[in-house]
Amino acid sequence: MYDVIVIGGGHAGVEAALASARLNKKTKLLVGSIEYIANTPCNPSMGGPAKGVVIREIDALGGEMAKAVDKTLLQVKMLNISKGPAVRVLRAQIDKIEYSNYMREVIMNTPNLDLEEAYVESLIIEDSEVKGVVLENKVSYYSKSVIIATGTFLNSKILIGSKTYASGPNNEKTSTGLSKSLKAHGFELIRLKTGTPARILKTSINYEKMMPQPGDDVKWHFSFETKEEDVLPLEKQELCYLIYTTLETKKIIVENIKKSSMYSGLVEGVGPRYCPSFEDKIVKFSDKDQHQVFLEPESKHLDEIYLQGFSTSMPEEIQDLMIRSLPGLENAVIKKYAYAIEYDAIDARGLYPTLESKNIKSLYFAGQINGTSGYEEAACQGLMASINACLKIDNKEPLILRRDEAYIGVLIDDLITKGVRDPYRLLTSRAEFRLLLRHDNALTRLIEHGKRINLISDERYKKFRENELIKQEFLRTLKDTFINPKQEVLNYLELNGKNTLNKKISLYEFLKRPEISLEDIFNLTALENPLDKDTTEEVSMEIKYEGYIEKAYKEAKKLQLMENRKIPSDFDYDKIVNIAKEAKEKLNKIKPLTLGQASRISGVNPSDIAVLLVYLEGKKNG
């Protein structure tokens, strides 16, 4: 008997198993291959828009991904540094071999966690509650909860041109029994597709025809616990390269488009909108004659380069022509050909915000089985599903993150409220309060939750509180210390191309100027910086964008009023006369838990919400 059984050893499964074991729950992690734990079968990168913030949120809640990235990165840079703070985010190239090794080592040395290489045939369900799993070898394991985190392995098949065969990534075995079991228990399955580019032999590439893309000469790190001296210095980081496709590349695609799995009618699943195959780019953006392709390293232990932006399901002989039409790849040796992969996923609208099934108690889903794409999206779902499974076992209130509180909250709310038509990718544009969900303040936003659920140690929390006191004292100093338009100040401003100073103002107000940094303040005054790099960035952003941030908080509070208005889970919307038929159907299917969630359902209009509110108020007062 286990407390938690986790099915799947990808990024969702790893975070789920580690969280429950660390919460003193006896945990069983069932994986298809111990060798490929936390594998990165597609792009060997972590972070990027919104997703980089998610990694920091995972870290703030007590997850492992950020530490693993920092330990195994090959290159790191801050994206959108010239833009506003809401879109600044870290992105790292990782060593896929070392990343997997790191996670495997952590799992094997975590108490309360049993690891086994096995495939699940079916679920054990009694009285609409999961009781355990049955393996393909007919061995049964019983548990208080089960978390399904099977990634792209459910009934998956590989597609290359006209060829198709049952397989998961890396030629691993696909899982068919679990799909049948889910269908038998009433789950609505959808078919999705993703893909990956070819890998090229490093020594067959002419890098002189390519534009080098180095990392940043700044000690960036994802985890708030990583020390700057442990970050890989720029001189030891790997280079990426940028090239552009040619007219010849486009011609090859156009002439052979019918040979693609996607355009031959072979593909059933819906592919990712924001990461399309290359032939899809050519068809949908036919007016463009060239597209970017990045060459990215996969591992110091591999002789392969990854072609970012060049995924395809063309036949191998056409892939040869496509790749050799690219600058610097005229003599490329292809180590692995690109392919598309189809797999089963569930309709996540059948889940609660805790990621527990509405129909089967104590059964949780996390990762690509919920319709997402990306390692980061998967990892945060695994973490949240596990936290809530453990809280339920302990009869405690669940942890549900709001949309103004975390990108994780945005992601989960989108999945369970709107569902997906194609693999979901988290974007900054999906968050209406993205100025509040910044890279720099993830720890401040979420560490209290991490401490409450006991995934943040007393030592780490104490250090955070001490740092907060130092930060607040520093803010008071900035407000109480003034700068005068003395000649040496004016000379400094003129010499550095900054606007002049006409009157005495506080350093706090001085820092609000766009061109003034904390470094300028330290150069102009006797003040010394008492803050670490992360807190320095957070203080600067909060002061410079204070007015916008306050406005966002006010808007978020209005939304919270809607979120605080609960709707009974057994509410019958058919009894309300004046709600539109489409709205009734959607509301009955999704069964939103709050008025706020109801308002975000596609097909439910403001007029429907107004009627629903009147009805709920009437029931409360009646």
Side-chain angles (χ1 to χ4, degrees), residues 124 197 243 298 466 486 503:
I124 302 171
I243 58 175
E298 287 205 302
E466 290 171 349
K486 295 185 295 185
K503 61 180 181 178

Side-chain angles (χ1 to χ4, degrees), residues 50 53 83-89 407 428 434-439:
V53 182
K83 298 181 180 179
V87 293
R88 290 176 197 166
V89 69
Y407 269 107
T428 54
R434 53 188 172 273
L435 187 55
L436 304 181
L437 310 180
R438 302 187 311 278
H439 153 91

